[in-house]
Amino acid sequence: MFPCFPPAPEASSFREPTSREERLAFSVRLVRNSGDLAKAVSIRHAAYARHMPEFAEKLREPETMDSDPGVTVLLAESKLDGTPLGTLRIQSNAHMPLKVEQSVTLPRWLRDRPLAEVSRLGIVGGTTGRLVKTVLIKAAFRHCELDGIEWAIVAARAPLDRQYDQLLFEDLFPEQGFIPMRHGANIPHRVLGFEIDTGHQRWADANHPLF
């Protein structure tokens, strides 16, 4: 059973009125059926295999969580031939605790608030992959806005944690640094958060490339 949400917006949905419109060679949309999910899983496995080959073996097939209530998988694919180019997964805490909560207890001020965890980001390599990642992150941000999410949470290993620093995520456990994730083969990750409501303004104030 796949969740039904409004289609993920195209990149132009995020532009300011004075921005230049660009037509992309790929689209980003929600996974809605087993064929879509197979594409997402293929790019997910390939991306993880480049850096974590042993762990990637566990990602050859869809994970149970991919079709759980409150879980959305985004898929970027070529407009030319439908080739998968990127994917990520968004889990809200509307139906169950976030997966990261299997390994950490979130700060008290985040409890009982609408949260979403972003995970399983995977993209193709090269310049195309960098652009795909940017649009996927924008689509995830917009999805959180539409779903009433207050904070987006990520658990990131080194050196991928730096990309979330650049996106203005803040460390939720600054004194602990990297924390072994019991649900992730005990690989140390930083747990970071991003306040959705203030995201646009903070990116604008920082003259951020994503904005």
Side-chain angles (χ1 to χ4, degrees):
M1 186 70 181
F2 294 89
C4 293
F5 291 99
E10 300 236 358
S12 59
S13 300
F14 300 91
R15 59 187 175 86
E16 286 293 282
T18 56
S19 296
R20 177 170 55 91
E21 181 175 333
E22 295 185 39
R23 296 194 179 277
L24 302 174
F26 60 90
S27 63
V28 173
R29 61 184 179 87
L30 302 182
V31 161
R32 295 192 181 277
N33 54 51
S34 59
D36 292 345
L37 184 57
K39 284 187 174 184
V41 168
S42 70
I43 198 69
R44 177 190 297 172
H45 170 261
Y48 274 77
R50 292 197 296 269
H51 306 288
M52 304 173 66
E54 291 186 12
F55 184 72
E57 288 302 304
K58 302 177 182 179
L59 302 179
R60 286 187 176 275
E61 301 294 332
E63 297 175 278
T64 301
M65 185 179 180
D66 289 325
S67 52
D68 280 346
V71 173
T72 301
V73 179
L74 298 185
L75 172 66
E77 59 185 357
S78 168
K79 291 179 179 177
L80 178 64
D81 58 9
T83 301
L85 302 175
T87 182
L88 60 75
R89 185 170 67 201
I90 309 167
Q91 180 212 351
S92 81
N93 64 348
H95 301 275
M96 65 189 75
L98 300 181
K99 192 166 186 180
V100 72
E101 293 183 78
Q102 297 176 20
S103 298
V104 298
T105 300
L106 294 176
R108 183 174 299 277
W109 56 271
L110 279 176
R111 297 176 197 172
D112 302 319
R113 303 178 74 170
L115 308 175
E117 181 177 355
V118 179
S119 63
R120 295 293 187 260
L121 173 62
I123 56 173
V124 295
T127 303
T128 298
R130 289 193 291 273
L131 180 57
V132 168
K133 179 173 68 175
T134 297
V135 178
L136 278 171
I137 289 171
K138 287 186 173 185
F141 174 81
R142 181 62 175 149
H143 178 85
C144 287
E145 283 189 313
L146 293 173
D147 205 27
I149 298 299
E150 294 185 9
W151 281 77
I153 311 297
V154 297
R157 59 182 175 81
L160 299 182
D161 61 310
R162 297 175 189 168
Q163 69 182 356
Y164 294 104
D165 287 329
Q166 294 167 355
L167 289 169
L168 307 185
F169 278 69
E170 59 184 81
D171 202 324
L172 298 181
F173 302 95
E175 296 180 356
Q176 297 186 50
F178 288 89
I179 304 170
M181 295 288 109
R182 290 193 297 273
H183 70 285
N186 283 318
I187 298 172
H189 287 61
R190 285 173 64 203
V191 181
L192 304 103
F194 185 92
E195 187 177 33
I196 298 298
D197 188 53
T198 62
H200 279 296
Q201 189 60 53
R202 289 185 290 115
W203 283 334
D205 291 345
N207 195 26
H208 196 281
L210 191 64
F211 182 79

Coordinates of all heavy atoms in Angstrom, one line a residue, residues 53-137:
P53 N 29.9 -1.0 0.5 CA 29.5 -2.2 -0.3 C 28.8 -3.3 0.5 O 27.9 -4.0 0.1 CB 30.8 -2.7 -1.0 CG 31.9 -2.0 -0.2 CD 31.3 -0.7 0.3
E54 N 29.3 -3.5 1.7 CA 28.7 -4.6 2.5 C 27.3 -4.3 3.0 O 26.4 -5.1 2.9 CB 29.6 -4.9 3.8 CG 30.9 -5.5 3.5 CD 31.7 -5.9 4.7 OE1 31.1 -5.8 5.8 OE2 32.9 -6.1 4.6
F55 N 27.1 -3.0 3.4 CA 25.8 -2.6 3.8 C 24.8 -2.6 2.6 O 23.6 -2.9 2.7 CB 25.8 -1.2 4.5 CG 24.5 -0.7 5.0 CD1 23.9 -1.3 6.1 CD2 23.8 0.3 4.4 CE1 22.7 -0.9 6.6 CE2 22.6 0.7 4.8 CZ 22.1 0.2 6.0
A56 N 25.4 -2.2 1.4 CA 24.6 -2.1 0.2 C 23.9 -3.4 -0.1 O 22.8 -3.4 -0.8 CB 25.4 -1.6 -0.9
E57 N 24.5 -4.5 0.2 CA 24.0 -5.8 -0.1 C 22.6 -6.0 0.6 O 21.7 -6.7 0.1 CB 24.9 -6.9 0.4 CG 26.2 -7.1 -0.5 CD 25.8 -7.3 -2.0 OE1 25.1 -8.3 -2.3 OE2 26.2 -6.5 -2.8
K58 N 22.3 -5.3 1.7 CA 21.1 -5.4 2.4 C 20.0 -4.5 1.7 O 18.8 -4.6 2.0 CB 21.2 -5.0 3.8 CG 22.2 -5.8 4.6 CD 22.4 -5.2 6.0 CE 23.4 -6.0 6.8 NZ 23.6 -5.5 8.2
L59 N 20.4 -3.7 0.7 CA 19.5 -2.8 0.1 C 19.2 -3.2 -1.4 O 18.7 -2.4 -2.1 CB 20.1 -1.4 0.1 CG 20.5 -0.8 1.4 CD1 21.1 0.6 1.3 CD2 19.3 -0.7 2.3
R60 N 19.4 -4.4 -1.7 CA 19.1 -4.9 -3.1 C 17.6 -5.0 -3.3 O 17.1 -4.9 -4.4 CB 19.8 -6.2 -3.4 CG 21.3 -6.1 -3.6 CD 21.8 -7.5 -4.0 NE 23.2 -7.4 -4.4 CZ 23.7 -7.0 -5.6 NH1 22.9 -6.7 -6.5 NH2 25.0 -7.0 -5.8
E61 N 16.9 -5.2 -2.2 CA 15.4 -5.4 -2.3 C 14.8 -4.2 -1.5 O 15.4 -3.6 -0.6 CB 15.0 -6.7 -1.7 CG 15.6 -7.9 -2.4 CD 15.1 -8.1 -3.8 OE1 14.0 -7.6 -4.1 OE2 15.9 -8.6 -4.7
P62 N 13.5 -3.9 -1.7 CA 12.8 -2.9 -0.9 C 12.8 -3.3 0.5 O 12.8 -4.5 0.9 CB 11.4 -3.0 -1.5 CG 11.5 -3.5 -2.9 CD 12.6 -4.5 -2.8
E63 N 12.9 -2.3 1.4 CA 12.8 -2.5 2.8 C 11.3 -2.4 3.2 O 10.5 -1.7 2.6 CB 13.6 -1.4 3.5 CG 15.1 -1.4 3.2 CD 15.8 -0.3 3.8 OE1 15.8 0.8 3.3 OE2 16.4 -0.5 4.9
T64 N 11.0 -3.1 4.3 CA 9.6 -3.1 4.7 C 9.1 -1.7 5.0 O 7.9 -1.4 4.7 CB 9.5 -4.0 6.1 OG1 9.9 -5.3 5.8 CG2 8.1 -4.0 6.6
M65 N 10.0 -0.9 5.5 CA 9.6 0.5 5.8 C 9.1 1.3 4.6 O 8.4 2.2 4.8 CB 10.8 1.2 6.5 CG 10.5 2.5 7.0 SD 11.9 3.2 7.8 CE 11.3 4.8 8.3
D66 N 9.6 0.9 3.4 CA 9.3 1.7 2.2 C 7.8 1.8 2.0 O 7.3 2.8 1.4 CB 9.9 1.1 1.0 CG 11.4 1.2 1.0 OD1 11.9 2.3 1.4 OD2 12.1 0.3 0.5
S67 N 7.0 0.9 2.5 CA 5.5 0.9 2.2 C 4.8 1.1 3.5 O 3.5 0.8 3.6 CB 5.1 -0.4 1.5 OG 5.5 -1.5 2.1
D68 N 5.4 1.5 4.6 CA 4.7 1.7 5.9 C 3.9 3.0 5.8 O 4.2 3.9 5.0 CB 5.7 1.8 7.0 CG 6.3 0.5 7.5 OD1 5.6 -0.5 7.2 OD2 7.3 0.5 8.3
P69 N 2.8 3.1 6.6 CA 2.1 4.3 6.7 C 2.9 5.5 7.1 O 3.8 5.4 8.0 CB 1.0 4.0 7.8 CG 0.9 2.5 7.9 CD 2.3 2.0 7.5
G70 N 2.7 6.6 6.5 CA 3.5 7.8 6.8 C 4.8 7.9 6.1 O 5.6 8.8 6.4
V71 N 5.1 6.9 5.2 CA 6.4 6.9 4.6 C 6.2 7.2 3.1 O 5.4 6.7 2.4 CB 7.1 5.5 4.7 CG1 8.4 5.4 3.9 CG2 7.4 5.3 6.2
T72 N 7.1 8.1 2.6 CA 7.0 8.5 1.2 C 8.4 8.3 0.6 O 9.4 8.7 1.2 CB 6.6 10.0 1.1 OG1 5.4 10.2 1.7 CG2 6.6 10.5 -0.4
V73 N 8.5 7.8 -0.6 CA 9.7 7.6 -1.3 C 9.7 8.5 -2.6 O 8.7 8.4 -3.3 CB 10.0 6.1 -1.7 CG1 11.3 6.0 -2.5 CG2 10.0 5.2 -0.5
L74 N 10.7 9.3 -2.7 CA 10.8 10.2 -3.9 C 11.7 9.5 -4.9 O 12.7 8.9 -4.6 CB 11.3 11.6 -3.6 CG 10.5 12.4 -2.6 CD1 11.1 13.8 -2.5 CD2 9.0 12.5 -3.1
L75 N 11.4 9.7 -6.2 CA 12.2 9.1 -7.3 C 12.5 10.2 -8.3 O 11.5 10.9 -8.8 CB 11.4 8.0 -7.9 CG 12.0 7.4 -9.2 CD1 13.3 6.7 -9.0 CD2 11.0 6.4 -9.9
A76 N 13.7 10.4 -8.7 CA 14.1 11.2 -9.8 C 14.5 10.3 -11.0 O 15.2 9.4 -10.8 CB 15.3 12.1 -9.4
E77 N 13.9 10.7 -12.1 CA 14.2 9.8 -13.3 C 14.3 10.7 -14.5 O 13.7 11.8 -14.6 CB 13.1 8.8 -13.5 CG 11.7 9.3 -13.6 CD 10.6 8.3 -13.7 OE1 11.0 7.1 -13.6 OE2 9.4 8.6 -13.7
S78 N 15.0 10.2 -15.5 CA 15.3 10.9 -16.8 C 13.9 11.1 -17.5 O 13.2 10.1 -17.6 CB 16.3 10.1 -17.6 OG 16.3 10.6 -18.9
K79 N 13.7 12.3 -18.1 CA 12.6 12.5 -18.9 C 12.7 11.8 -20.3 O 11.7 11.5 -20.9 CB 12.3 14.0 -19.1 CG 11.9 14.7 -17.9 CD 11.7 16.2 -18.2 CE 11.2 17.0 -17.0 NZ 11.1 18.4 -17.2
L80 N 14.0 11.5 -20.6 CA 14.2 10.9 -21.9 C 13.8 9.5 -22.0 O 13.1 9.0 -22.9 CB 15.7 11.1 -22.3 CG 16.1 10.5 -23.6 CD1 15.4 11.1 -24.8 CD2 17.6 10.6 -23.8
D81 N 14.3 8.7 -21.0 CA 14.1 7.2 -21.1 C 13.6 6.6 -19.8 O 13.5 5.4 -19.7 CB 15.3 6.5 -21.6 CG 16.5 6.8 -20.7 OD1 16.4 7.4 -19.6 OD2 17.6 6.4 -21.1
G82 N 13.3 7.5 -18.7 CA 12.8 6.9 -17.5 C 13.9 6.3 -16.6 O 13.6 5.7 -15.6
T83 N 15.2 6.5 -17.0 CA 16.3 5.9 -16.1 C 16.3 6.5 -14.7 O 16.2 7.8 -14.6 CB 17.6 6.2 -16.8 OG1 17.7 5.6 -18.1 CG2 18.8 5.6 -15.9
P84 N 16.3 5.7 -13.7 CA 16.4 6.3 -12.3 C 17.7 7.1 -12.1 O 18.8 6.6 -12.4 CB 16.2 5.1 -11.4 CG 16.7 4.0 -12.2 CD 16.3 4.3 -13.6
L85 N 17.6 8.2 -11.5 CA 18.8 9.1 -11.2 C 19.0 9.4 -9.8 O 20.1 9.8 -9.4 CB 18.6 10.4 -12.0 CG 18.5 10.3 -13.5 CD1 18.2 11.7 -14.1 CD2 19.7 9.7 -14.2
G86 N 17.9 9.2 -9.0 CA 18.1 9.6 -7.5 C 16.8 9.2 -6.8 O 15.8 9.0 -7.3
T87 N 17.0 9.1 -5.5 CA 15.9 8.8 -4.6 C 16.2 9.2 -3.2 O 17.3 9.4 -2.8 CB 15.6 7.3 -4.6 OG1 14.4 7.0 -3.8 CG2 16.8 6.5 -4.1
L88 N 15.1 9.4 -2.4 CA 15.3 9.6 -0.9 C 13.9 9.1 -0.3 O 12.9 9.0 -1.0 CB 15.7 11.0 -0.5 CG 14.8 12.2 -0.8 CD1 13.6 12.3 0.0 CD2 15.6 13.5 -0.6
R89 N 14.0 8.9 1.0 CA 12.8 8.5 1.7 C 12.4 9.5 2.8 O 13.4 10.0 3.5 CB 13.0 7.1 2.3 CG 11.8 6.5 3.0 CD 12.0 5.0 3.3 NE 13.1 4.8 4.3 CZ 13.8 3.7 4.5 NH1 13.5 2.6 3.6 NH2 14.7 3.6 5.4
I90 N 11.2 9.7 3.0 CA 10.7 10.6 4.1 C 9.7 9.8 5.0 O 8.7 9.3 4.5 CB 10.0 11.8 3.5 CG1 10.8 12.5 2.4 CG2 9.6 12.8 4.6 CD1 10.1 13.5 1.6
Q91 N 10.0 9.8 6.3 CA 9.1 9.1 7.2 C 8.6 10.1 8.2 O 9.4 10.8 8.9 CB 9.8 8.0 8.0 CG 8.9 7.3 9.0 CD 9.6 6.8 10.2 OE1 10.9 6.8 10.3 NE2 8.9 6.4 11.2
S92 N 7.3 10.3 8.3 CA 6.8 11.2 9.3 C 6.5 10.4 10.6 O 6.5 9.1 10.6 CB 5.4 11.8 8.9 OG 4.4 10.9 9.0
N93 N 6.4 11.1 11.7 CA 6.1 10.4 13.0 C 4.6 10.3 13.3 O 4.2 10.1 14.5 CB 6.9 11.0 14.1 CG 6.5 12.4 14.4 OD1 5.7 13.0 13.6 ND2 6.9 13.0 15.5
A94 N 3.8 10.5 12.3 CA 2.3 10.5 12.5 C 1.8 9.1 12.9 O 0.8 9.0 13.6 CB 1.6 11.0 11.2
H95 N 2.5 8.1 12.5 CA 2.0 6.7 12.7 C 2.9 5.9 13.6 O 2.5 4.9 14.3 CB 1.8 6.0 11.4 CG 0.8 6.6 10.5 ND1 -0.5 6.4 10.6 CD2 1.0 7.5 9.5 CE1 -1.1 7.1 9.6 NE2 -0.2 7.8 8.9
M96 N 4.2 6.3 13.7 CA 5.1 5.5 14.5 C 6.4 6.4 14.7 O 6.6 7.4 14.0 CB 5.6 4.2 13.8 CG 6.3 4.5 12.5 SD 6.6 3.0 11.5 CE 4.9 2.7 10.8
P97 N 7.2 6.1 15.8 CA 8.4 6.9 16.0 C 9.3 6.8 14.8 O 9.3 5.9 14.0 CB 9.0 6.2 17.2 CG 7.9 5.4 17.9 CD 7.0 5.0 16.8
L98 N 10.1 7.9 14.6 CA 11.1 7.9 13.6 C 12.1 6.8 13.8 O 12.4 6.3 14.9 CB 11.8 9.2 13.6 CG 11.0 10.5 13.4 CD1 11.9 11.7 13.4 CD2 10.2 10.4 12.1
K99 N 12.6 6.3 12.7 CA 13.6 5.2 12.7 C 14.8 5.5 13.6 O 15.3 4.7 14.3 CB 14.0 4.7 11.3 CG 14.7 3.4 11.3 CD 14.8 2.8 9.9 CE 15.4 1.4 10.0 NZ 15.5 0.8 8.6
V100 N 15.2 6.8 13.5 CA 16.4 7.2 14.2 C 16.2 7.0 15.7 O 17.2 6.9 16.5 CB 16.8 8.6 13.9 CG1 15.8 9.6 14.4 CG2 18.2 8.9 14.3
E101 N 14.9 7.0 16.2 CA 14.6 6.9 17.6 C 14.9 5.5 18.1 O 14.8 5.3 19.3 CB 13.2 7.3 17.9 CG 13.0 8.8 17.6 CD 11.6 9.3 17.9 OE1 11.3 9.5 19.2 OE2 10.7 9.4 17.0
Q102 N 15.2 4.6 17.2 CA 15.7 3.3 17.7 C 17.1 3.3 18.3 O 17.5 2.4 19.0 CB 15.7 2.3 16.5 CG 14.3 2.0 15.9 CD 14.4 1.1 14.7 OE1 15.3 0.3 14.6 NE2 13.3 1.1 13.9
S103 N 17.8 4.4 18.0 CA 19.2 4.6 18.4 C 19.4 5.8 19.3 O 20.4 5.8 20.1 CB 20.1 4.7 17.2 OG 20.0 3.6 16.4
V104 N 18.6 6.8 19.3 CA 18.7 7.9 20.2 C 17.4 8.4 20.7 O 16.4 8.1 20.1 CB 19.4 9.1 19.4 CG1 20.8 8.8 18.9 CG2 18.5 9.6 18.3
T105 N 17.4 9.1 21.8 CA 16.2 9.7 22.4 C 16.3 11.2 22.0 O 17.2 11.9 22.4 CB 16.2 9.6 23.9 OG1 16.1 8.2 24.2 CG2 14.9 10.3 24.4
L106 N 15.4 11.6 21.2 CA 15.4 13.0 20.7 C 15.2 14.0 21.8 O 14.6 13.6 22.9 CB 14.3 13.2 19.7 CG 14.4 12.5 18.3 CD1 13.2 12.7 17.5 CD2 15.7 12.9 17.6
P107 N 15.8 15.2 21.7 CA 15.6 16.2 22.8 C 14.2 16.4 23.2 O 13.3 16.3 22.3 CB 16.2 17.5 22.1 CG 17.2 17.0 21.1 CD 16.6 15.7 20.6
R108 N 14.0 16.7 24.4 CA 12.6 16.9 24.9 C 11.8 17.9 24.1 O 10.6 17.7 23.9 CB 12.7 17.3 26.4 CG 11.3 17.4 27.1 CD 11.5 17.6 28.6 NE 12.2 16.5 29.2 CZ 11.6 15.4 29.6 NH1 10.3 15.2 29.4 NH2 12.3 14.4 30.2
W109 N 12.4 19.0 23.7 CA 11.7 20.0 23.0 C 11.2 19.6 21.6 O 10.3 20.3 21.0 CB 12.5 21.3 22.9 CG 13.8 21.1 22.2 CD1 15.0 20.8 22.8 CD2 14.1 21.3 20.8 NE1 16.0 20.7 21.8 CE2 15.5 21.0 20.6 CE3 13.3 21.6 19.7 CZ2 16.1 21.1 19.3 CZ3 13.9 21.7 18.4 CH2 15.3 21.4 18.3
L110 N 11.6 18.4 21.1 CA 11.1 17.9 19.9 C 10.0 16.9 20.0 O 9.4 16.5 19.0 CB 12.3 17.3 19.1 CG 13.2 18.2 18.3 CD1 14.3 17.4 17.6 CD2 12.4 19.0 17.2
R111 N 9.8 16.5 21.2 CA 8.8 15.5 21.5 C 7.4 16.0 21.3 O 7.1 17.2 21.5 CB 8.9 14.9 22.9 CG 10.2 14.2 23.1 CD 10.4 13.7 24.5 NE 11.8 13.4 24.8 CZ 12.3 13.1 26.0 NH1 11.5 13.1 27.0 NH2 13.6 12.9 26.1
D112 N 6.5 15.2 20.8 CA 5.1 15.5 20.5 C 4.9 16.6 19.5 O 3.9 17.4 19.5 CB 4.4 16.0 21.8 CG 4.4 14.9 22.9 OD1 4.2 13.7 22.6 OD2 4.7 15.2 24.1
R113 N 5.9 16.7 18.6 CA 5.8 17.7 17.5 C 5.8 16.9 16.2 O 6.3 15.8 16.1 CB 7.0 18.7 17.5 CG 7.1 19.4 18.8 CD 8.3 20.3 18.9 NE 8.1 21.5 18.0 CZ 8.9 22.6 18.0 NH1 9.9 22.6 18.8 NH2 8.7 23.6 17.3
P114 N 5.2 17.4 15.1 CA 5.2 16.8 13.8 C 6.7 16.8 13.2 O 7.2 17.8 12.9 CB 4.3 17.6 12.9 CG 3.5 18.5 13.9 CD 4.4 18.7 15.1
L115 N 7.2 15.6 13.1 CA 8.6 15.5 12.6 C 8.6 14.5 11.4 O 7.7 13.7 11.2 CB 9.5 14.8 13.7 CG 9.5 15.5 15.1 CD1 10.4 14.7 16.1 CD2 10.0 16.9 15.0
A116 N 9.7 14.7 10.6 CA 9.9 13.7 9.5 C 11.4 13.4 9.5 O 12.3 14.3 9.7 CB 9.5 14.3 8.2
E117 N 11.7 12.2 9.2 CA 13.1 11.8 9.0 C 13.4 11.5 7.5 O 12.7 10.8 6.9 CB 13.4 10.5 9.8 CG 14.9 10.1 9.7 CD 15.2 8.8 10.5 OE1 14.3 8.4 11.3 OE2 16.3 8.3 10.4
V118 N 14.5 12.2 7.0 CA 14.9 12.0 5.7 C 16.1 11.0 5.6 O 17.0 11.2 6.3 CB 15.3 13.3 5.0 CG1 15.7 13.1 3.6 CG2 14.1 14.3 5.1
S119 N 15.9 10.0 4.8 CA 17.0 8.9 4.8 C 17.1 8.3 3.4 O 16.3 8.7 2.5 CB 16.7 7.9 5.8 OG 15.5 7.2 5.5
R120 N 18.0 7.4 3.2 CA 18.2 6.6 2.0 C 18.3 7.5 0.8 O 17.8 7.2 -0.3 CB 17.1 5.6 1.8 CG 17.0 4.5 2.9 CD 18.2 3.6 2.8 NE 18.1 2.5 3.7 CZ 18.8 2.4 4.9 NH1 19.5 3.4 5.3 NH2 18.6 1.4 5.6
L121 N 19.1 8.6 0.9 CA 19.4 9.5 -0.2 C 20.4 8.8 -1.1 O 21.5 8.4 -0.6 CB 20.0 10.8 0.3 CG 20.5 11.8 -0.8 CD1 19.4 12.2 -1.7 CD2 21.1 13.0 -0.1
G122 N 20.1 8.6 -2.3 CA 21.0 8.0 -3.3 C 20.9 8.7 -4.6 O 19.8 8.9 -5.1
I123 N 22.0 8.9 -5.3 CA 22.0 9.6 -6.6 C 23.1 9.0 -7.5 O 24.0 8.3 -7.0 CB 22.3 11.1 -6.4 CG1 23.6 11.4 -5.6 CG2 21.1 11.8 -5.7 CD1 24.1 12.8 -5.6
V124 N 22.9 9.3 -8.8 CA 24.0 8.9 -9.7 C 25.2 9.8 -9.5 O 25.1 10.9 -8.8 CB 23.5 9.0 -11.1 CG1 22.4 8.0 -11.4 CG2 23.1 10.4 -11.5
G125 N 26.3 9.4 -10.0 CA 27.5 10.2 -9.8 C 27.6 11.4 -10.8 O 26.8 11.5 -11.7
G126 N 28.6 12.3 -10.6 CA 28.8 13.3 -11.5 C 28.0 14.6 -11.3 O 27.2 14.7 -10.4
T127 N 28.1 15.5 -12.3 CA 27.3 16.7 -12.2 C 25.8 16.5 -12.2 O 25.1 17.2 -11.5 CB 27.7 17.6 -13.5 OG1 29.1 17.8 -13.5 CG2 27.0 19.0 -13.4
T128 N 25.3 15.6 -13.0 CA 23.9 15.3 -13.0 C 23.4 14.9 -11.6 O 22.4 15.4 -11.1 CB 23.6 14.2 -13.9 OG1 23.9 14.6 -15.3 CG2 22.1 13.8 -13.9
G129 N 24.2 14.1 -10.9 CA 23.8 13.7 -9.5 C 23.8 14.8 -8.6 O 22.9 14.8 -7.7
R130 N 24.7 15.8 -8.7 CA 24.6 16.9 -7.8 C 23.3 17.8 -8.0 O 22.7 18.2 -7.0 CB 25.9 17.8 -8.0 CG 27.2 17.1 -7.5 CD 28.3 18.1 -7.4 NE 28.8 18.6 -8.7 CZ 29.7 17.9 -9.4 NH1 30.2 16.8 -9.0 NH2 30.0 18.4 -10.6
L131 N 23.0 17.9 -9.2 CA 21.7 18.7 -9.5 C 20.5 17.9 -9.0 O 19.6 18.4 -8.4 CB 21.6 19.0 -11.0 CG 20.4 19.7 -11.4 CD1 20.3 21.1 -10.7 CD2 20.4 20.0 -12.9
V132 N 20.5 16.6 -9.3 CA 19.4 15.7 -8.8 C 19.3 15.8 -7.3 O 18.2 15.9 -6.8 CB 19.6 14.3 -9.2 CG1 18.7 13.3 -8.5 CG2 19.5 14.1 -10.8
K133 N 20.4 15.8 -6.6 CA 20.4 15.9 -5.1 C 19.7 17.2 -4.7 O 18.9 17.2 -3.8 CB 21.8 15.7 -4.5 CG 21.8 15.9 -3.0 CD 23.2 15.5 -2.5 CE 24.2 16.6 -2.8 NZ 25.5 16.4 -2.2
T134 N 20.1 18.3 -5.3 CA 19.5 19.6 -5.0 C 18.0 19.6 -5.1 O 17.3 20.0 -4.2 CB 20.1 20.7 -5.8 OG1 21.5 20.8 -5.6 CG2 19.5 22.0 -5.5
V135 N 17.5 19.1 -6.2 CA 16.1 19.1 -6.5 C 15.4 18.1 -5.6 O 14.3 18.4 -5.1 CB 15.8 18.8 -8.0 CG1 14.3 18.7 -8.2 CG2 16.4 19.8 -8.9
L136 N 16.0 17.0 -5.3 CA 15.4 16.0 -4.3 C 15.2 16.7 -2.9 O 14.2 16.5 -2.3 CB 16.2 14.8 -4.2 CG 16.0 13.7 -5.3 CD1 17.1 12.6 -5.1 CD2 14.6 13.1 -5.2
I137 N 16.2 17.4 -2.5 CA 16.2 18.0 -1.2 C 15.1 19.1 -1.2 O 14.4 19.3 -0.2 CB 17.6 18.6 -0.8 CG1 18.5 17.4 -0.5 CG2 17.5 19.5 0.4 CD1 20.0 17.9 -0.3

